[in-house]
Amino acid sequence: MSESFKTLERAPRDSQVPLSDILAAIGFNADGLIPAIAQQHDSGEVLMMAWMNREALEQTLRTGRVCYWSRSRGKLWRKGESSGQQQRLKAAALDCDGDTLLLQVDQTGPACHSGRRSCFYVALEGDQARISSDPLIDPDTLYGKG
C-alpha cells in the first residue's frame, strides 16, 4: 500500500485530495494494470471485471464512457465499441489499498460477451456448476458473426 493511501485511512469524511496525487499512488500491478469491477449503479448487480491501465482510467474519468485495457488485443477497449452495449460511468471509487477499482455504471444491454447481462453466470453450487441466466442476445448477433 502506498503512503498516500495509508494517510487516507485517517482522513475525515469529505476530505479532498488532488486527483493527480491519487492516480500517482494507485497500486497498478507489474503490467501497469488495476482490476476494475463494473456494477450497475441503480440495482447493485455486479456485471463484470476487466482491467484498466492509467490511460484507460483517465479517459473513463474524463469522458464518462468506460474504457478498459484489453490484454488480449494489447490496446484500449471502449466497452461497446464492437457490440454497441456501452457503459456510462456514474461513479468511481478505489478500495482502501488503492489496488482495485469499483465502477458504478449504467450498462446498455448485456455486459458479457456471451450475451448475458452479467459475466457472473456460472454458479458454483455444492459439487456442481449451474448456468444461472440465459443470454439476452445471441453472441453471434451481438458481434455480427455468422
Side-chain angles (χ1 to χ4, degrees), residues 7 13 83 133:
T7 302
R13 184 182 182 140
S83 69
S133 67

Side-chain angles (χ1 to χ4, degrees), residues 49-122:
M49 191 292 276
W51 297 93
M52 287 184 154
N53 63 9
R54 184 171 174 154
E55 184 180 3
L57 178 54
E58 288 174 339
Q59 281 194 27
T60 297
L61 295 173
R62 185 176 60 255
T63 67
R65 183 163 173 210
V66 180
C67 181
Y68 297 105
W69 176 259
S70 172
R71 294 179 301 162
S72 61
R73 293 179 235 159
K75 67 176 191 170
L76 292 175
W77 155 54
R78 278 157 205 79
K79 182 68 175 160
E81 67 188 1
S82 54
S83 69
Q85 310 302 311
Q86 297 182 14
Q87 289 177 349
R88 291 284 176 190
L89 184 68
K90 294 294 188 174
L94 287 159
D95 75 334
C96 58
D97 295 324
D99 62 6
T100 303
L101 188 62
L102 177 62
L103 306 173
Q104 300 282 324
V105 302
D106 189 16
Q107 172 71 46
T108 303
C112 185
H113 74 279
S114 70
R116 290 173 172 85
R117 176 74 177 160
S118 170
C119 293
F120 298 96
Y121 62 88
V122 181

Side-chain angles (χ1 to χ4, degrees), residues 3-79:
E3 198 56 43
S4 296
F5 282 94
K6 193 83 171 141
T7 302
L8 293 177
E9 288 178 358
R10 302 202 187 289
R13 184 182 182 140
D14 293 330
S15 297
Q16 295 186 356
V17 178
L19 181 60
S20 59
D21 292 356
I22 295 299
L23 292 176
I26 288 176
F28 292 102
N29 69 17
D31 295 323
L33 303 173
I34 185 172
I37 300 164
Q39 181 179 40
Q40 179 63 32
H41 75 98
D42 52 359
S43 70
E45 178 183 20
V46 177
L47 300 170
M48 59 179 281
M49 191 292 276
W51 297 93
M52 287 184 154
N53 63 9
R54 184 171 174 154
E55 184 180 3
L57 178 54
E58 288 174 339
Q59 281 194 27
T60 297
L61 295 173
R62 185 176 60 255
T63 67
R65 183 163 173 210
V66 180
C67 181
Y68 297 105
W69 176 259
S70 172
R71 294 179 301 162
S72 61
R73 293 179 235 159
K75 67 176 191 170
L76 292 175
W77 155 54
R78 278 157 205 79
K79 182 68 175 160

